[in-house]
Amino acid sequence: MQLSLNKPKYHFLSLDRNPVREPSVQSFTFVDDPAGIRILQSCNGLLLCCSNNRLGEYNRNYYIYNPTTHQYTTLPKPSNRTQSPNTIFGVILAFDPLKWVHYRVIFVRSSETSPHLYQLEMYSSETHQWSFSSEISKVNNFSQGVYCCGGIHWRNNSGSFLRFDVHQERFQEIPMPKIPDDWDQQTKCRYFGECGGRLHLILTSCKHSTSQFNVYEMKNNFSGWFVKYQVDLNALISANPKMTQSNCHVLEHWDYYAFRVLAIVVGEGSGQGSSSPFMVLHVPGKVITYSFKDKTSTLLHDFAPDCTDIEGCTTFEYDYAYPYITTLANV
């Protein structure tokens, strides 16, 4: 989990250990980069990283790092780029060791043919070469893509989702989950991520209590979503009164509780000595796990015993949390 954008440092939290007060905190030093190393994405045991300089995308180095073997590689810069710097709008790693040994890195950049389009540019670890792929209109936020089952998924500005199959190089639009009529289309995305080959989404209403919500899972054919888990945080909130926000306006008609969803963990050996799926939450000063099966929570780490407000201490978001598994894959 990332602590700072300046010379980034990271908390390393094991999901299999007993609760500790002082988790490992460190910066990445696998390469001598004066600006420091920033994680962009975790994908099936490999980390996509970049130098933390702010001098433009063209001057930024990108790395693939295996934290298990401590191997890394520096991605070559595309030799055919003719545009000026600062044209990269998203970078994502696609890697699935169960299907192939090679990975791809996709850049979403400005199109050279139209100011209204984005261009996808792909690097293959098999060929060690860059190639141009599809063009797409500027209707998506491509900075937060999620790889799952051979495709990259982005949330569309219109509310739907866009999937890009990295092998067939084809796009597919996926609708939003059906939400209750009284939500008035006012939703907040609490989580959008992958684990064990399953894509999960959490939406909450801006006009209803956030203590109860659904966890959606993508259908196997990528045609839509279904409710996989139902969450009730009332017992957790009662046990952690600091989760109740003190700065909610008295005229607001909805509840707001201080928590962030960091990860959803499913599958065999998913931590805590059990294969039962669970959710990792950051609440004021703590990281806890919440079991979907029995609705109980367990302390994972205590960051700051004296912290009284999630906004007044270190705050983590799901897109700054990078779950990873061990792999011996070469980079």
Side-chain angles (χ1 to χ4, degrees), residues 90-110:
V91 185
I92 191 165
L93 170 65
F95 174 60
D96 188 345
L98 297 180
K99 295 183 178 180
W100 70 93
V101 297
H102 301 286
Y103 59 83
R104 295 183 180 183
V105 179
I106 292 85
F107 277 23
V108 181
R109 48 166 293 186
S110 295

Side-chain angles (χ1 to χ4, degrees), residues 138-302:
K138 293 183 177 181
V139 297
N140 281 65
N141 178 6
F142 288 99
S143 63
Q144 296 179 353
V146 178
Y147 174 78
C148 182
C149 297
I152 301 171
H153 304 80
W154 294 279
R155 292 185 64 213
N156 195 307
N157 293 339
S158 64
S160 61
F161 292 81
L162 191 66
R163 171 182 166 88
F164 176 71
D165 189 304
V166 298
H167 298 289
Q168 299 182 14
E169 300 187 26
R170 185 174 59 188
F171 287 99
Q172 174 186 352
E173 189 167 0
I174 303 170
M176 278 274 287
K178 180 174 175 55
I179 60 176
D181 294 335
D182 59 350
W183 278 26
D184 296 328
Q185 304 300 316
Q186 299 184 49
T187 61
K188 175 179 175 62
C189 181
R190 290 278 183 165
Y191 178 80
F192 179 44
E194 181 272 348
C195 184
R198 305 168 196 176
L199 198 62
H200 295 107
L201 173 71
I202 296 177
L203 301 173
T204 57
S205 170
C206 295
K207 289 192 173 182
H208 293 273
S209 172
T210 55
S211 61
Q212 296 177 316
F213 52 85
N214 294 325
V215 177
Y216 298 94
E217 185 170 295
M218 179 74 73
K219 295 180 179 179
N220 290 335
N221 61 359
F222 312 110
S223 63
W225 305 83
F226 65 95
V227 175
K228 180 66 175 181
Y229 309 109
Q230 294 181 315
V231 174
D232 188 339
L233 298 181
N234 284 307
L236 176 64
I237 293 168
S238 297
N240 294 270
K242 295 176 184 177
M243 290 179 64
T244 302
Q245 292 286 71
S246 59
N247 59 352
C248 284
H249 195 279
V250 294
L251 296 180
E252 291 178 346
H253 300 292
W254 61 88
D255 297 325
Y256 179 72
Y257 297 105
F259 70 92
R260 303 288 191 271
V261 180
L262 300 181
I264 291 174
V265 183
V266 300
E268 295 295 329
S270 56
Q272 306 285 308
S274 169
S275 61
S276 177
F278 61 91
M279 180 170 56
V280 183
L281 300 175
H282 176 221
V283 302
K286 303 174 183 178
V287 172
I288 61 99
T289 61
Y290 172 90
S291 170
F292 292 122
K293 183 178 180 180
D294 55 22
K295 315 295 184 184
T296 59
S297 59
T298 303
L299 176 67
L300 187 61
H301 289 289
D302 189 347

Side-chain angles (χ1 to χ4, degrees), residues 103-123:
Y103 59 83
R104 295 183 180 183
V105 179
I106 292 85
F107 277 23
V108 181
R109 48 166 293 186
S110 295
S111 170
E112 296 183 353
T113 62
S114 170
H116 306 293
L117 298 174
Y118 286 145
Q119 176 81 53
L120 269 61
E121 193 172 9
M122 291 199 300
Y123 172 80

Side-chain angles (χ1 to χ4, degrees), residues 1-4 9-13 23 39 262 280 282 287 301 303 316-317 320-322:
M1 294 186 295
Q2 184 173 337
L3 290 173
S4 169
K9 293 184 178 180
Y10 296 87
H11 278 299
F12 289 84
L13 308 180
I39 301 176
L262 300 181
V280 183
H282 176 221
V287 172
H301 289 289
F303 286 112
F316 303 106
E317 300 282 355
Y320 284 144
Y322 309 97

